[in-house]
């Protein structure tokens, strides 16, 4: 699943195959198929795991003295600087019109849960949408420009 996540975050849903995943981990393609009979099931499982890990990481960033938005900026920045890649569900969401239903459900779930979490932590629905859109967009811009500092420039006004 780690190998699939790396490939999806780098090239999207269409940018990986079972053969490449198998080569990355040093097994035969049949071994990958054994655990995940379809590409859709693998990608959906990766997205589900990513969502749970990301939401857990957000909880760890919520510390005294840090606003909710600062915690979210920190979590997104950590993901960007940690491996220099896009948010997995952001990548999937960018091509949502081409995703199989099982994968789309998990990508949508990520964004719905993020919005719910922001709202439960006191943000209005509109502010939650703006915050999540700004963070995903800042990550996209930093990746496209190849300059992680762009993320900080793009999110500076969020924390203000």
């Amino acid at each position: 699943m780690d190998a699939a996540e790396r490939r999806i975050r780098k090239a999207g849903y269409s940018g990986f195959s079972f053969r490449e995943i198998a080569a990355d981990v040093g097994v035969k393609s049949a071994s990958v198929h054994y655990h995940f009979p379809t590409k859709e099931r693998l990608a959906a499982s990766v997205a589900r795991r990513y969502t749970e890990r990301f939401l857990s990481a957000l909880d760890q960033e919520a510390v005294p003295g840090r606003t909710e938005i600062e915690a979210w900026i920190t979590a997104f920045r950590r993901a960007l600087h940690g491996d220099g890649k896009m948010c997995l569900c952001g990548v999937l969401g960018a091509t949502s019109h081409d995703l199989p239903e099982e994968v789309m459900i998990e990508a949508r779930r990520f964004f719905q849960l993020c919005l719910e979490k922001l709202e439960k932590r006191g943000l209005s629905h509109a502010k939650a949408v703006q915050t999540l859109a700004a963070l995903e967009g800042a990550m996209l811009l930093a990746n496209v420009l190849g300059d992680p500092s762009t993320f900080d420039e793009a999110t500076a006004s969020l924390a203000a």
Side-chain angles (χ1 to χ4, degrees):
M1 287 183 59
D2 291 342
E5 181 178 328
R6 282 190 299 274
R7 291 219 173 242
I8 294 169
R9 289 179 77 188
K10 183 177 179 183
Y13 176 78
S14 298
F16 80 96
S17 70
F18 275 32
R19 187 176 351 186
E20 291 168 325
I21 300 298
D24 289 349
V25 296
V27 298
K28 293 184 186 279
S29 183
S31 297
V32 179
H33 279 283
Y34 176 78
H35 294 286
F36 300 98
T38 65
K39 182 176 179 176
E40 294 84 3
R41 175 104 17 108
L42 173 58
S45 296
V46 169
R48 191 175 313 109
R49 183 184 77 154
Y50 179 86
T51 297
E52 299 311 318
R53 282 191 351 243
F54 190 81
L55 294 175
S56 177
L58 283 167
D59 290 339
Q60 293 174 6
E61 295 299 341
V63 296
R66 182 182 283 166
T67 68
E68 187 62 28
I69 291 178
E70 289 170 336
W72 281 69
I73 291 170
T74 301
F76 269 82
R77 183 186 301 113
R78 188 178 313 270
L80 175 66
H81 290 292
D83 59 19
K85 303 267 187 311
M86 288 291 302
C87 163
L88 179 114
C89 291
V91 170
L92 293 172
T95 59
S96 60
H97 58 282
D98 290 332
L99 292 177
E101 185 65 19
E102 185 176 2
V103 181
M104 184 59 216
I105 287 169
E106 291 301 329
R108 184 179 296 124
R109 180 176 166 267
F110 171 84
F111 288 104
Q112 289 170 332
L113 290 174
C114 285
L115 291 172
E116 286 174 18
K117 190 175 205 72
L118 283 164
E119 290 176 41
K120 283 180 184 173
R121 301 249 174 109
L123 275 69
S124 69
H125 178 72
K127 185 64 174 176
V129 169
Q130 291 168 354
T131 300
L132 187 55
L135 290 167
E136 289 286 347
M139 187 175 261
L140 172 67
L141 193 56
N143 272 281
V144 169
L145 296 177
D147 181 5
S149 70
T150 303
F151 178 86
D152 294 325
E153 290 177 54
T155 59
S157 66
L158 280 177

